[in-house]
Amino acid sequence: MDQTPAKNDTLRQIVVAASALAAIIGSFIGSGAAGGTQIQNASNGALSADSTLIAPGGPAFSIWSVIYLGLVTYAVWQFLPKQKTEHRHRLLGYPVAASLLLNAAWILSVQFDLLPLSVPIIAVLLAVLAYIFVLILRHRPTNTVDAIITDGTMGLYLGWVCVATAANISAVLVAAGFNGFGLNPNAWAVFVLAVAAAVGVALAIYGKGRLAPAASLGWGLAWVAVARFSGELLSTPAAIAALVGAIVVVAFTLIIRLRTVTTSAR
């Protein structure tokens, strides 16, 4: 395998760093700090904590601070000499950059009241993150620091976007006047939350107990439960489904993780 530095490596590093900067600027705009509208208030509040039965409570979005910190750290980490020619980072660089640009594009779509456009953007973002997850599993980290910065950050990113995708699609459908084909909204909410939990279980199985995706997905589901138990839009069935989903995802992941570690130690 060629470990000789090339112009393509430098270009990749610069693209990742520039994309991270674009994502940070996008998050700054999305926070309302630049004079714009906060995401939860944009598009007539379609993405607020009480817009749909699937929406997480406001504090859930604080996880973005951790994810952005991890992404910025990764942008710096991949600039170090060893990562410049590391095959793993050669594979991950452009997909990570794509995820960062899609993140910024999603924020802009909501800011400019293009809510329907946010759905295909976040769907592609989810697909890119799933691809990154596959690459991470196929190409192991070189050391513990790489595992924390790269695997940990991308895992948190993936798990949270799973929850965000479900909430985003639900918000767009509600804003468009979708009535659920006449079915009870609580039944739809329970179904969607069950699917989200099933995705978390699938990630645990495929990832052999990777903790980061389960942590952020479980976090998101838990805050859906909080919002439905105590927010303005109350729903006991949705709250229970979200809470059970969070517990199942985290517990299942821990069980698989323990089995994986035990097997490896033999």
Side-chain angles (χ1 to χ4, degrees), residues 54 166 183-198 237-238 241-242:
I54 311 299
L183 295 178
N184 189 296
N186 287 314
W188 273 107
V190 170
F191 172 73
V192 173
L193 291 167
V195 170

Side-chain angles (χ1 to χ4, degrees), residues 5 19 28 38 42 72 103 121 126 136 233 255 261:
S19 300
F28 186 69
Q38 291 185 328
V72 170
N103 191 329
I121 291 175
L126 181 59
I136 283 174
L233 186 60
I255 291 172
V261 171

Side-chain angles (χ1 to χ4, degrees), residues 39-41 45-61 106 160 162-172 174 185-186 188-190 192-193 196 217-235 238-243:
I39 289 296
Q40 61 266 34
N41 298 323
L47 297 172
S48 67
D50 298 304
S51 59
T52 72
L53 296 177
I54 311 299
F61 296 91
W106 183 87
W160 174 253
C162 286
V163 176
T165 300
N168 193 172
I169 293 174
S170 299
V172 171
V174 169
N186 287 314
W188 273 107
V190 170
V192 173
L193 291 167
L217 208 158
W219 168 269
L221 289 175
W223 276 105
V224 172
V226 171
R228 300 292 74 80
F229 273 131
S230 59
E232 295 181 9
L233 186 60
L234 300 176
S235 171
I240 293 175
L243 184 59

